[in-house]
Amino acid sequence: MTITETHFAGQGAALSAAESQLAFRAVLDALARPGLPAQLPVSQESALPPVLLPLLALADLGTAVCLLGADGFPERHWADVLSTATSAPRVPLEQARLVGATGPIGAEEIRRLRRGPALAPEDGALLAVAVAGLTGGPSRWWLTGPGVQGRREIGPLGVPEEFVVARADAVAGYPAGIDVLLVAPDGALVGLPRTTTIDEERN
């Protein structure tokens, strides 16, 4: 796992200190236990997309961020909210340490994510991507690797068909690579750290 407590800011105006702590803990839990759902502190009164919560909890003045909308176009309104709340600098996709995707992200965008050098793998990107659900998808993903006892099955819904292949390319140079969070509309999320192998089986 490459996200550490040194990345925690917690001063973002869009989240209370307690909400930031809960979101931060959910991210750590999700990455420590790949495929097992954790829960973000989603508020019924808030209009914030749940996929933004990990970024709001982790971003700060020294953490470059990029926010994508559907089809890879910038999500300007929510990018402004994120920037105002955290003071995090906005940068192009290839330079971002934290990346949020409020819509499906394509294979090209995944392959462009920052992976970090082998001597500083913590510089690789953390991608939080919105999905329609953590179950009910058209294929089964079998997860293996650290933090997984044996094999673990998930079936996310609303993930682009080429996602698994593109993500495998992005983590092929381990310890360099990317870490991924899949975030459902209700704030449930699962982590896919770069140490996790995914075998996809179409239903």
Side-chain angles (χ1 to χ4, degrees):
M1 178 168 39
T2 57
I3 294 296
T4 70
E5 297 195 8
T6 59
H7 292 96
F8 174 56
Q11 289 90 21
L15 294 180
S16 69
E19 288 171 329
S20 292
Q21 292 278 6
L22 289 171
F24 176 70
R25 179 52 55 187
V27 170
L28 289 184
D29 288 347
L31 292 174
R33 302 181 302 168
L36 287 182
Q39 182 63 49
L40 293 165
V42 174
S43 169
Q44 302 257 337
E45 293 76 31
S46 175
L48 280 170
V51 72
L52 289 188
L53 298 182
L55 277 66
L56 286 165
L58 294 167
D60 59 22
L61 186 61
T63 308
V65 300
C66 179
L67 188 62
L68 301 177
D71 300 319
F73 290 102
E75 186 68 89
R76 289 183 178 84
H77 170 70
W78 293 120
D80 289 342
V81 170
L82 181 62
S83 181
T84 300
T86 66
S87 299
R90 282 189 267 180
V91 297
L93 179 63
E94 294 85 352
Q95 300 173 25
R97 175 67 182 84
L98 297 173
V99 178
T102 60
I105 185 170
E108 178 186 350
E109 283 77 34
I110 293 170
R111 291 188 175 100
R112 287 166 53 197
L113 292 171
R114 171 176 166 175
R115 305 178 189 184
L119 294 180
E122 66 276 6
D123 288 341
L126 172 69
L127 167 66
V129 58
V131 296
L134 300 181
T135 59
S139 63
R140 293 189 291 177
W141 296 3
W142 295 99
L143 311 183
T144 55
V148 180
Q149 292 186 352
R151 293 201 305 168
R152 185 169 293 146
E153 178 189 351
I154 63 172
L157 179 64
V159 179
E161 186 174 337
E162 68 276 15
F163 183 93
V164 171
V165 173
R167 185 246 173 209
D169 291 343
V171 302
Y174 182 81
I178 66 170
D179 302 307
V180 177
L181 300 170
L182 303 180
V183 184
D186 63 356
L189 77 160
V190 296
L192 300 171
R194 66 194 67 184
T195 54
T196 299
T197 299
I198 306 175
D199 293 315
E200 186 174 22
E201 180 182 315
R202 304 295 294 184
N203 292 334

